[in-house]
Amino acid sequence: MNTVKFIYPLFGHIADDWEGCSYDIGSEQLTDYQELLEEKMNEYQIDNGKGMEQYFYDNPDIESKLESIVWGFEIFDNKLYGVTTVELAEPIDEDEINELREWISGQNSDGLGEGFEQQDFDVDEGRLSVSLWDFHDYFIYTQEEMDEYLEQSGGINICQ
């Protein structure tokens, strides 16, 4: 089995109805909610017993190799990131990796991500919502690219 991970920043928001305020939270604070987010994401992405791979129709060559596509969360350099793990029956080339990257980015901004973002989760501080995409400071890296990014920025890869 061949695995390709795609990693991207998360953007959080907490609305506190009691205090009448709301505020953005960074990926450092989102680490506190990793378990909750993983639970909610696992519930959200299964449809009729199938995962998100059922919605990939962009390239028949990739589709024929595709085993699963699973969204989740991991900590790198003390920050919570979104991670989409793609399991493939056979290796894919760089062009196919970029096609998957674009499809995942589209899902993060319009499909799965937009729907997931519109869900509020009750937390002690209020209602938490998390976006998998943002037009500011957004990237989507493979595991190797993320390792390079962390190395260049002085961070240490502490992937869980």
Side-chain angles (χ1 to χ4, degrees):
M1 186 80 56
N2 294 283
T3 302
V4 181
K5 284 187 175 184
F6 295 93
I7 302 156
Y8 37 88
L10 301 171
F11 306 91
H13 185 81
I14 291 184
D16 183 349
D17 290 338
W18 293 102
E19 297 291 325
C21 64
S22 63
Y23 52 94
D24 294 332
I25 62 172
S27 54
E28 295 90 356
Q29 294 100 344
L30 284 172
T31 60
D32 295 341
Y33 306 103
Q34 180 178 7
E35 189 174 313
L36 170 68
L37 293 173
E38 286 175 348
E39 175 187 322
K40 297 301 184 181
M41 179 60 81
N42 287 338
E43 292 171 7
Y44 185 76
Q45 66 185 316
I46 300 299
D47 183 21
N48 297 320
K50 297 179 183 177
M52 292 300 295
E53 64 277 357
Q54 67 183 312
Y55 300 110
F56 184 85
Y57 303 109
D58 293 22
N59 180 321
D61 292 333
I62 297 172
E63 189 178 349
S64 70
K65 301 171 189 174
L66 195 55
E67 297 289 326
S68 69
I69 303 176
V70 178
W71 268 253
F73 304 94
E74 291 185 28
I75 295 174
F76 297 88
D77 195 28
N78 298 314
K79 298 176 184 174
L80 190 64
Y81 288 87
V83 176
T84 302
T85 303
V86 179
E87 297 286 346
L88 301 144
E90 300 173 33
I92 58 175
D93 63 29
E94 196 65 33
D95 289 338
E96 292 170 320
I97 286 174
N98 287 328
E99 282 186 58
L100 276 170
R101 182 192 319 260
E102 288 299 314
W103 183 81
I104 291 166
S105 181
Q107 286 296 314
N108 284 354
S109 66
D110 294 333
L112 170 117
E114 184 175 297
F116 187 77
E117 178 179 354
Q118 293 171 1
Q119 296 185 33
D120 291 332
F121 309 114
D122 290 328
V123 295
D124 291 342
E125 298 84 0
R127 291 186 334 264
L128 170 67
S129 61
V130 175
S131 177
L132 308 177
W133 186 88
D134 190 66
F135 58 91
H136 297 294
D137 302 322
Y138 184 76
F139 60 80
I140 184 165
Y141 291 153
T142 62
Q143 178 72 57
E144 295 77 22
E145 292 165 338
M146 186 67 173
D147 290 344
E148 288 176 24
Y149 168 76
L150 290 172
E151 190 175 301
Q152 291 174 356
S153 66
I156 300 170
N157 183 352
I158 56 169
C159 178
Q160 291 184 332

